[in-house]
Amino acid sequence: MFRPVHILHAIALYFSKSGLLCVALCLGCVYSGWSQQIDPDLSLLIREEKAFAAKAVETDVPTAFLAYLDSSGVIFNGESAVNGIAQYGQAPKGGKDLLKWYPVIGHVSPGGDMGFTSGPFQFFADRAQTAAGSGYFFSVWKKNSAGQFKVVLDGGVIHSQKNAAEAFQRDPEPKSNTAYAYILPIPKVDDRDPQPWKAEDAFSVAAAKDADQAYKQYLAEEVVLLRSDRPFGKTKAEALGTLAQQQIQSYQFIRSGQGISTAGDLAYCFGKTKSVKDGKAVVGFFTRVWQHRPEGWKIVAEQVSLFR
């Protein structure tokens, strides 16, 4: 969620979410929405994300993060990846600022132990005023030993545009429970030694030479690619369109952390990045999620935030 209040707190200083057939049809109308069938683990993950967002509104941002972050959960503070519990444990509580968000997509590994969510957010330096900032959050979740989903990584992108109040209009909250699932079910891949990091390393080498070709090779057909000031897309074609608009010649990715699902079919990594555009270097951070598919490991989600 780069609910980048982690960086937006700093921004706030500058600005000071037939009979039986008839019965069945009636019940379908009554329960349309959350009764629609999706993976129960995805349904659980979406509920947790929404509860997380509600907690931030009911209390404050630090309290909400302390409740939903894993003990090893990582956030980006604008300089580096840090432990979220340690960061928010020192943050003052009860402030006037407010962070609002909701998910528009989600995905959970077939084993049900790891997943991710993403959607728009708005940041208010003062709850009584209009939104001062907006963007897209991106969070990786993993079940702990008690079977509860906890945030193990929180990131995202901030928009530079001044129409932050319109963030939720551009990406409205889904009305149907099934709308959150954007990755179609795929056959289980039998691999006793999954190696997502070989794919990650190969992609990084390729992106350092020719970013466009690297993404064309490694993006899945269903993929969320998040960039500042770019629309939220869910397809490879949309992602490649965003990349073409950015005109980044190359990326250097420096991985500082990673994780993989129990079944070895979903993996994520994060770290610092440096891009070259018009001959100038811009640095930031990234999060990338890989899925093991019959055609190999493919990127199903990525956020790159470049800020200086």
Side-chain angles (χ1 to χ4, degrees):
M1 302 177 228
F2 194 57
R3 282 166 255 239
V5 76
H6 328 313
I7 292 177
L8 280 171
H9 270 145
I11 292 177
L13 297 177
Y14 293 92
F15 284 100
S16 237
K17 177 174 107 71
S18 73
L20 290 177
L21 177 59
C22 290
V23 171
L25 290 172
C26 289
L27 288 175
C29 293
V30 172
Y31 295 107
S32 63
W34 283 96
S35 67
Q36 298 182 48
Q37 296 299 309
I38 64 169
D39 182 279
D41 287 305
L42 176 56
S43 181
L44 172 62
L45 179 59
I46 296 299
R47 289 199 302 271
E48 288 298 300
E49 180 66 85
K50 290 188 171 186
F52 184 8
K55 184 79 170 179
V57 174
E58 295 165 1
T59 57
D60 53 58
V61 173
T63 298
F65 271 86
L66 290 172
Y68 284 88
L69 277 169
D70 184 77
S71 59
S72 63
V74 171
I75 64 172
F76 298 98
N77 66 1
E79 294 294 332
S80 60
V82 299
N83 180 273
I85 295 294
Q87 185 88 357
Y88 278 110
Q90 301 174 8
K93 313 299 189 296
K96 292 184 179 181
D97 59 329
L98 171 66
L99 196 62
K100 298 178 68 175
W101 73 86
Y102 52 76
V104 294
I105 62 95
H107 178 69
V108 175
S109 62
D113 64 310
M114 180 183 289
F116 60 87
T117 53
S118 187
F121 73 82
Q122 289 180 325
F123 176 73
F124 301 77
D126 188 319
R127 291 175 179 242
Q129 299 178 2
T130 58
S134 66
Y136 293 122
F137 74 83
F138 185 82
S139 296
V140 179
W141 298 70
K142 194 169 185 177
K143 284 183 179 178
N144 60 16
S145 58
Q148 300 172 314
F149 272 119
K150 292 291 184 179
V151 178
V152 293
L153 186 143
D154 190 71
V157 297
I158 299 175
H159 299 323
S160 62
Q161 300 156 333
K162 297 182 179 180
N163 55 345
E166 301 176 5
F168 291 169
Q169 297 175 20
R170 293 191 297 268
D171 300 283
E173 187 170 6
K175 301 298 183 183
S176 167
N177 196 25
T178 55
Y180 294 101
Y182 82 104
I183 297 180
L184 299 176
I186 60 171
K188 182 178 179 181
V189 178
D190 187 12
D191 188 347
R192 298 180 183 275
D193 185 28
Q195 294 291 335
W197 315 127
K198 288 184 178 180
E200 170 65 26
D201 291 342
F203 168 74
S204 296
V205 170
K209 298 176 181 178
D210 187 328
D212 289 342
Q213 288 301 317
Y215 280 102
K216 287 178 182 178
Q217 180 180 352
Y218 286 95
L219 288 180
E221 291 302 320
E222 310 96 34
V223 57
V224 168
L225 185 134
L226 302 180
R227 296 293 190 275
S228 298
D229 301 325
R230 302 300 178 191
F232 193 101
K234 298 181 182 179
T235 68
K236 182 176 182 178
E238 291 170 334
L240 292 176
T242 289
L243 292 166
Q245 290 176 339
Q246 283 204 306
Q247 298 181 333
I248 301 292
Q249 284 86 47
S250 64
Y251 283 100
Q252 179 185 5
F253 295 108
I254 305 170
R255 190 165 80 245
S256 59
Q258 60 196 41
I260 190 168
S261 65
T262 302
D265 49 16
L266 195 69
Y268 72 95
C269 59
F270 62 91
K272 293 184 177 181
T273 183
K274 179 186 294 184
S275 69
V276 176
K277 180 177 181 180
D278 300 327
K280 298 181 180 179
V282 185
V283 301
F285 58 86
F286 76 95
T287 304
R288 190 155 39 246
V289 179
W290 293 84
Q291 185 185 44
H292 203 187
R293 297 187 167 212
E295 66 270 25
W297 285 94
K298 294 293 182 179
I299 299 169
V300 291
E302 184 195 70
Q303 64 86 190
V304 171
S305 182
L306 301 172
F307 48 84
R308 70 175 188 277

mmCIF file of all heavy atoms in Angstrom, residues 199-226:
data_model
loop_
_atom_site.group_PDB
_atom_site.id
_atom_site.type_symbol
_atom_site.label_atom_id
_atom_site.label_comp_id
_atom_site.label_asym_id
_atom_site.label_seq_id
_atom_site.Cartn_x
_atom_site.Cartn_y
_atom_site.Cartn_z
ATOM 1 N N ALA A 199 14.823 -16.874 -13.101
ATOM 2 C CA ALA A 199 14.054 -16.037 -14.014
ATOM 3 C C ALA A 199 14.232 -14.567 -13.661
ATOM 4 O O ALA A 199 14.390 -13.719 -14.546
ATOM 5 C CB ALA A 199 12.578 -16.420 -13.965
ATOM 6 N N GLU A 200 14.224 -14.267 -12.367
ATOM 7 C CA GLU A 200 14.413 -12.881 -11.919
ATOM 8 C C GLU A 200 15.779 -12.350 -12.356
ATOM 9 O O GLU A 200 15.890 -11.220 -12.858
ATOM 10 C CB GLU A 200 14.274 -12.803 -10.403
ATOM 11 C CG GLU A 200 14.676 -11.477 -9.773
ATOM 12 C CD GLU A 200 13.810 -10.305 -10.174
ATOM 13 O OE1 GLU A 200 12.633 -10.530 -10.532
ATOM 14 O OE2 GLU A 200 14.292 -9.157 -10.137
ATOM 15 N N ASP A 201 16.810 -13.151 -12.175
ATOM 16 C CA ASP A 201 18.155 -12.720 -12.567
ATOM 17 C C ASP A 201 18.255 -12.528 -14.074
ATOM 18 O O ASP A 201 18.864 -11.568 -14.560
ATOM 19 C CB ASP A 201 19.194 -13.734 -12.096
ATOM 20 C CG ASP A 201 19.350 -13.755 -10.583
ATOM 21 O OD1 ASP A 201 18.924 -12.779 -9.930
ATOM 22 O OD2 ASP A 201 19.882 -14.751 -10.053
ATOM 23 N N ALA A 202 17.647 -13.443 -14.835
ATOM 24 C CA ALA A 202 17.690 -13.341 -16.291
ATOM 25 C C ALA A 202 16.930 -12.094 -16.756
ATOM 26 O O ALA A 202 17.375 -11.379 -17.678
ATOM 27 C CB ALA A 202 17.095 -14.585 -16.933
ATOM 28 N N PHE A 203 15.786 -11.835 -16.129
ATOM 29 C CA PHE A 203 15.022 -10.645 -16.471
ATOM 30 C C PHE A 203 15.812 -9.377 -16.160
ATOM 31 O O PHE A 203 15.833 -8.431 -16.956
ATOM 32 C CB PHE A 203 13.693 -10.628 -15.701
ATOM 33 C CG PHE A 203 12.969 -9.322 -15.777
ATOM 34 C CD1 PHE A 203 12.311 -8.932 -16.933
ATOM 35 C CD2 PHE A 203 12.942 -8.456 -14.685
ATOM 36 C CE1 PHE A 203 11.649 -7.713 -17.010
ATOM 37 C CE2 PHE A 203 12.290 -7.238 -14.743
ATOM 38 C CZ PHE A 203 11.634 -6.863 -15.911
ATOM 39 N N SER A 204 16.454 -9.342 -15.002
ATOM 40 C CA SER A 204 17.229 -8.167 -14.605
ATOM 41 C C SER A 204 18.360 -7.883 -15.584
ATOM 42 O O SER A 204 18.626 -6.720 -15.935
ATOM 43 C CB SER A 204 17.788 -8.359 -13.193
ATOM 44 O OG SER A 204 16.746 -8.440 -12.244
ATOM 45 N N VAL A 205 19.034 -8.951 -16.029
ATOM 46 C CA VAL A 205 20.110 -8.786 -17.013
ATOM 47 C C VAL A 205 19.548 -8.217 -18.318
ATOM 48 O O VAL A 205 20.118 -7.305 -18.917
ATOM 49 C CB VAL A 205 20.826 -10.128 -17.262
ATOM 50 C CG1 VAL A 205 21.764 -10.011 -18.462
ATOM 51 C CG2 VAL A 205 21.604 -10.561 -16.024
ATOM 52 N N ALA A 206 18.410 -8.758 -18.746
ATOM 53 C CA ALA A 206 17.795 -8.310 -19.997
ATOM 54 C C ALA A 206 17.309 -6.864 -19.891
ATOM 55 O O ALA A 206 17.461 -6.070 -20.827
ATOM 56 C CB ALA A 206 16.635 -9.224 -20.373
ATOM 57 N N ALA A 207 16.715 -6.500 -18.725
ATOM 58 C CA ALA A 207 16.180 -5.147 -18.535
ATOM 59 C C ALA A 207 17.281 -4.098 -18.503
ATOM 60 O O ALA A 207 17.051 -2.936 -18.837
ATOM 61 C CB ALA A 207 15.357 -5.083 -17.252
ATOM 62 N N ALA A 208 18.473 -4.516 -18.098
ATOM 63 C CA ALA A 208 19.602 -3.579 -18.068
ATOM 64 C C ALA A 208 20.093 -3.248 -19.478
ATOM 65 O O ALA A 208 20.743 -2.221 -19.689
ATOM 66 C CB ALA A 208 20.743 -4.169 -17.243
ATOM 67 N N LYS A 209 19.755 -4.119 -20.435
ATOM 68 C CA LYS A 209 20.178 -3.902 -21.817
ATOM 69 C C LYS A 209 19.082 -3.257 -22.657
ATOM 70 O O LYS A 209 19.330 -2.304 -23.395
ATOM 71 C CB LYS A 209 20.592 -5.244 -22.446
ATOM 72 C CG LYS A 209 21.777 -5.913 -21.750
ATOM 73 C CD LYS A 209 22.065 -7.266 -22.374
ATOM 74 C CE LYS A 209 23.230 -7.962 -21.681
ATOM 75 N NZ LYS A 209 23.491 -9.313 -22.250
ATOM 76 N N ASP A 210 17.877 -3.806 -22.547
ATOM 77 C CA ASP A 210 16.751 -3.298 -23.337
ATOM 78 C C ASP A 210 15.474 -3.575 -22.548
ATOM 79 O O ASP A 210 14.964 -4.692 -22.557
ATOM 80 C CB ASP A 210 16.709 -3.999 -24.695
ATOM 81 C CG ASP A 210 15.674 -3.417 -25.642
ATOM 82 O OD1 ASP A 210 14.631 -2.946 -25.156
ATOM 83 O OD2 ASP A 210 15.900 -3.426 -26.861
ATOM 84 N N ALA A 211 14.960 -2.552 -21.876
ATOM 85 C CA ALA A 211 13.807 -2.728 -20.990
ATOM 86 C C ALA A 211 12.577 -3.224 -21.742
ATOM 87 O O ALA A 211 11.882 -4.140 -21.284
ATOM 88 C CB ALA A 211 13.507 -1.421 -20.270
ATOM 89 N N ASP A 212 12.283 -2.639 -22.882
ATOM 90 C CA ASP A 212 11.080 -3.022 -23.629
ATOM 91 C C ASP A 212 11.092 -4.495 -24.009
ATOM 92 O O ASP A 212 10.096 -5.209 -23.835
ATOM 93 C CB ASP A 212 10.949 -2.162 -24.891
ATOM 94 C CG ASP A 212 10.571 -0.721 -24.574
ATOM 95 O OD1 ASP A 212 10.092 -0.468 -23.454
ATOM 96 O OD2 ASP A 212 10.770 0.150 -25.441
ATOM 97 N N GLN A 213 12.208 -4.972 -24.529
ATOM 98 C CA GLN A 213 12.293 -6.372 -24.933
ATOM 99 C C GLN A 213 12.212 -7.312 -23.734
ATOM 100 O O GLN A 213 11.622 -8.394 -23.811
ATOM 101 C CB GLN A 213 13.592 -6.614 -25.704
ATOM 102 C CG GLN A 213 13.605 -6.006 -27.098
ATOM 103 C CD GLN A 213 12.474 -6.538 -27.971
ATOM 104 O OE1 GLN A 213 12.194 -7.736 -27.981
ATOM 105 N NE2 GLN A 213 11.827 -5.643 -28.703
ATOM 106 N N ALA A 214 12.794 -6.903 -22.612
ATOM 107 C CA ALA A 214 12.758 -7.730 -21.406
ATOM 108 C C ALA A 214 11.327 -7.928 -20.937
ATOM 109 O O ALA A 214 10.907 -9.044 -20.603
ATOM 110 C CB ALA A 214 13.597 -7.086 -20.302
ATOM 111 N N TYR A 215 10.558 -6.840 -20.908
ATOM 112 C CA TYR A 215 9.163 -6.952 -20.457
ATOM 113 C C TYR A 215 8.317 -7.742 -21.451
ATOM 114 O O TYR A 215 7.438 -8.515 -21.041
ATOM 115 C CB TYR A 215 8.573 -5.563 -20.223
ATOM 116 C CG TYR A 215 8.987 -4.960 -18.902
ATOM 117 C CD1 TYR A 215 9.978 -3.989 -18.830
ATOM 118 C CD2 TYR A 215 8.388 -5.384 -17.710
ATOM 119 C CE1 TYR A 215 10.367 -3.441 -17.607
ATOM 120 C CE2 TYR A 215 8.767 -4.843 -16.488
ATOM 121 C CZ TYR A 215 9.756 -3.879 -16.444
ATOM 122 O OH TYR A 215 10.144 -3.348 -15.234
ATOM 123 N N LYS A 216 8.553 -7.571 -22.721
ATOM 124 C CA LYS A 216 7.805 -8.338 -23.716
ATOM 125 C C LYS A 216 8.018 -9.832 -23.516
ATOM 126 O O LYS A 216 7.112 -10.648 -23.715
ATOM 127 C CB LYS A 216 8.231 -7.930 -25.128
ATOM 128 C CG LYS A 216 7.725 -6.569 -25.554
ATOM 129 C CD LYS A 216 8.225 -6.205 -26.949
ATOM 130 C CE LYS A 216 7.757 -4.812 -27.352
ATOM 131 N NZ LYS A 216 8.265 -4.425 -28.694
ATOM 132 N N GLN A 217 9.216 -10.209 -23.103
ATOM 133 C CA GLN A 217 9.533 -11.623 -22.929
ATOM 134 C C GLN A 217 8.983 -12.207 -21.631
ATOM 135 O O GLN A 217 8.522 -13.355 -21.610
ATOM 136 C CB GLN A 217 11.056 -11.825 -22.953
ATOM 137 C CG GLN A 217 11.491 -13.271 -22.770
ATOM 138 C CD GLN A 217 12.999 -13.427 -22.808
ATOM 139 O OE1 GLN A 217 13.730 -12.474 -23.109
ATOM 140 N NE2 GLN A 217 13.487 -14.624 -22.506
ATOM 141 N N TYR A 218 8.980 -11.422 -20.561
ATOM 142 C CA TYR A 218 8.691 -11.995 -19.239
ATOM 143 C C TYR A 218 7.329 -11.656 -18.650
ATOM 144 O O TYR A 218 6.928 -12.260 -17.653
ATOM 145 C CB TYR A 218 9.793 -11.588 -18.250
ATOM 146 C CG TYR A 218 11.089 -12.328 -18.469
ATOM 147 C CD1 TYR A 218 12.110 -11.783 -19.242
ATOM 148 C CD2 TYR A 218 11.282 -13.593 -17.915
ATOM 149 C CE1 TYR A 218 13.299 -12.462 -19.454
ATOM 150 C CE2 TYR A 218 12.468 -14.286 -18.117
ATOM 151 C CZ TYR A 218 13.473 -13.716 -18.890
ATOM 152 O OH TYR A 218 14.646 -14.400 -19.095
ATOM 153 N N LEU A 219 6.588 -10.719 -19.219
ATOM 154 C CA LEU A 219 5.268 -10.397 -18.678
ATOM 155 C C LEU A 219 4.261 -11.498 -19.009
ATOM 156 O O LEU A 219 4.247 -12.037 -20.110
ATOM 157 C CB LEU A 219 4.749 -9.080 -19.247
ATOM 158 C CG LEU A 219 5.398 -7.782 -18.764
ATOM 159 C CD1 LEU A 219 4.727 -6.593 -19.445
ATOM 160 C CD2 LEU A 219 5.314 -7.638 -17.251
ATOM 161 N N ALA A 220 3.396 -11.808 -18.038
ATOM 162 C CA ALA A 220 2.277 -12.718 -18.287
ATOM 163 C C ALA A 220 1.191 -11.963 -19.044
ATOM 164 O O ALA A 220 1.209 -10.736 -19.127
ATOM 165 C CB ALA A 220 1.719 -13.238 -16.957
ATOM 166 N N GLU A 221 0.238 -12.690 -19.596
ATOM 167 C CA GLU A 221 -0.852 -12.032 -20.333
ATOM 168 C C GLU A 221 -1.758 -11.259 -19.386
ATOM 169 O O GLU A 221 -2.337 -10.240 -19.763
ATOM 170 C CB GLU A 221 -1.661 -13.070 -21.126
ATOM 171 C CG GLU A 221 -0.909 -13.676 -22.292
ATOM 172 C CD GLU A 221 -0.438 -12.627 -23.297
ATOM 173 O OE1 GLU A 221 -1.201 -11.674 -23.578
ATOM 174 O OE2 GLU A 221 0.700 -12.752 -23.800
ATOM 175 N N GLU A 222 -1.926 -11.740 -18.149
ATOM 176 C CA GLU A 222 -2.669 -10.993 -17.131
ATOM 177 C C GLU A 222 -1.634 -10.455 -16.151
ATOM 178 O O GLU A 222 -0.991 -11.230 -15.444
ATOM 179 C CB GLU A 222 -3.665 -11.875 -16.377
ATOM 180 C CG GLU A 222 -4.583 -12.702 -17.270
ATOM 181 C CD GLU A 222 -4.050 -14.103 -17.472
ATOM 182 O OE1 GLU A 222 -3.448 -14.650 -16.548
ATOM 183 O OE2 GLU A 222 -4.248 -14.641 -18.571
ATOM 184 N N VAL A 223 -1.458 -9.147 -16.114
ATOM 185 C CA VAL A 223 -0.417 -8.577 -15.273
ATOM 186 C C VAL A 223 -0.820 -7.175 -14.822
ATOM 187 O O VAL A 223 -1.371 -6.392 -15.595
ATOM 188 C CB VAL A 223 0.937 -8.521 -16.023
ATOM 189 C CG1 VAL A 223 0.822 -7.739 -17.308
ATOM 190 C CG2 VAL A 223 2.035 -7.946 -15.138
ATOM 191 N N VAL A 224 -0.562 -6.882 -13.568
ATOM 192 C CA VAL A 224 -0.736 -5.531 -13.044
ATOM 193 C C VAL A 224 0.630 -4.868 -13.021
ATOM 194 O O VAL A 224 1.552 -5.364 -12.364
ATOM 195 C CB VAL A 224 -1.340 -5.545 -11.629
ATOM 196 C CG1 VAL A 224 -1.236 -4.166 -10.994
ATOM 197 C CG2 VAL A 224 -2.797 -5.982 -11.683
ATOM 198 N N LEU A 225 0.775 -3.778 -13.759
ATOM 199 C CA LEU A 225 2.024 -3.039 -13.796
ATOM 200 C C LEU A 225 1.730 -1.612 -13.347
ATOM 201 O O LEU A 225 0.979 -0.891 -14.005
ATOM 202 C CB LEU A 225 2.619 -3.065 -15.201
ATOM 203 C CG LEU A 225 4.009 -2.425 -15.328
ATOM 204 C CD1 LEU A 225 4.941 -3.319 -16.148
ATOM 205 C CD2 LEU A 225 3.910 -1.043 -15.969
ATOM 206 N N LEU A 226 2.301 -1.222 -12.206
ATOM 207 C CA LEU A 226 2.008 0.076 -11.603
ATOM 208 C C LEU A 226 3.149 1.054 -11.805
ATOM 209 O O LEU A 226 4.306 0.747 -11.509
ATOM 210 C CB LEU A 226 1.748 -0.094 -10.096
ATOM 211 C CG LEU A 226 0.616 -1.039 -9.689
ATOM 212 C CD1 LEU A 226 0.501 -1.083 -8.174
ATOM 213 C CD2 LEU A 226 -0.697 -0.620 -10.322
#
